[in-house]
Amino acid sequence: MTGAWRVAVTIPARDEADRIAACLRSVQTAISTAGLHDAVVVVVADHCTDATAATARELLGPRGVVVECRHRSVGRARAVAAAAALRRTAPAPLHRTWLATTDADTTVDPDWLVRQLACAAEGAAAVAGVVRVDDLDDLAPVVGRRWRAAYRTTGRSHPHVHGANLGVRADAYVAVGGWPDTDTAEDHGLWDRLRRAGWPTAASVDVRVTTSGRRVGRAPAGFAAHLRSLEGTA
């Protein structure tokens, strides 16, 4: 069933030279596991001052696209990545094109795309997965305890939305206007647009990634800020 889809993986990055290689290797493994021989990976290096773009180009070669921009906005960077992905996947029909997105400080599970496309085959136009946090207890023991207490799931579903672990069918993405132009919470913005427009969504605990536990992030009030808030909560 995965072979019936044209798949693109989009990754925004800002000064992620130390992490982008692990991210891209995990994505390439997920592509191989899914048997997606013509999948494309798009990295958007947004206002980078390090070797992020060069590292990504070296690892991706002709199977990927690296776009450099200076937006300083994760929402705009994701939108640039999606636009490049849609150009690269044309002329595949939008309803058979799948846009999966993650972050440059994240590694995806080997079955990441297999699981997303299984949800798509069951009718989902968008899929939200869950995250593990790398070295969570090394941050501070209290952060690990509070994270696990707050990060709830319900059976096979969950209430969470992460740009590091999201997938959307291209026709749904285009119909709702794509990623919102915001510096923070662009993932919730897109998810809310899809749900308000009536597109079927799935939140699956089986779609998993591991993201950085750093507390100094790229997006204001983003995931790193949330971890800092857990450390400081009374």
Side-chain angles (χ1 to χ4, degrees):
M1 179 60 69
T2 56
W5 292 92
R6 187 77 162 96
V7 173
V9 179
T10 65
I11 307 166
R14 184 188 301 178
D15 289 341
E16 297 286 6
D18 292 339
R19 297 178 182 271
I20 191 71
C23 173
L24 292 178
R25 290 189 185 107
S26 74
V27 167
Q28 289 166 336
T29 297
I31 289 170
S32 177
T33 300
L36 299 166
H37 304 295
D38 61 348
V40 62
V41 180
V42 179
V43 173
V44 170
D46 183 15
H47 206 272
C48 291
T49 60
D50 65 1
T52 295
T55 302
R57 285 193 180 98
E58 181 179 357
L59 286 170
L60 290 175
R63 294 188 60 183
V65 178
V66 178
V67 180
E68 296 185 65
C69 65
R70 302 186 70 82
H71 294 309
R72 296 190 184 186
S73 165
V74 67
R76 293 190 70 182
R78 290 198 198 278
V80 168
L86 291 175
R87 289 193 297 270
R88 189 67 178 259
T89 55
L94 292 179
H95 72 282
R96 299 303 296 171
T97 300
W98 190 259
L99 303 175
T101 187
T102 189
D103 288 339
D105 67 338
T106 299
T107 58
V108 305
D109 279 15
D111 63 356
W112 183 59
L113 291 171
V114 171
R115 297 284 190 177
Q116 286 196 32
L117 294 177
C119 292
E122 293 174 357
V127 177
V130 293
V131 300
R132 310 181 195 90
V133 182
D134 189 32
D135 298 327
L136 181 60
D137 291 307
D138 292 344
L139 298 174
V142 68
V143 176
R145 291 198 302 271
R146 288 171 176 164
W147 167 263
R148 282 184 284 270
Y151 200 77
R152 300 290 189 182
T153 61
T154 305
R156 308 308 301 165
S157 186
H158 64 88
H160 311 292
V161 180
H162 306 283
N165 192 2
L166 200 64
V168 59
R169 212 170 64 207
D171 58 337
Y173 173 84
V174 171
V176 301
W179 294 99
D181 184 6
T182 59
D183 294 335
T184 301
E186 79 293 342
D187 41 12
H188 289 271
L190 176 59
W191 192 254
D192 290 345
R193 287 180 177 183
L194 291 162
R195 290 177 64 85
R196 284 197 303 268
W199 291 95
T201 60
S204 172
V205 298
D206 296 323
V207 181
R208 298 176 296 258
V209 304
T210 301
T211 198
S212 168
R214 65 188 179 193
R215 285 168 287 174
V216 178
R218 307 298 187 251
F223 192 73
H226 174 60
L227 293 181
R228 288 199 307 273
S229 74
L230 293 179
E231 186 175 21
T233 301

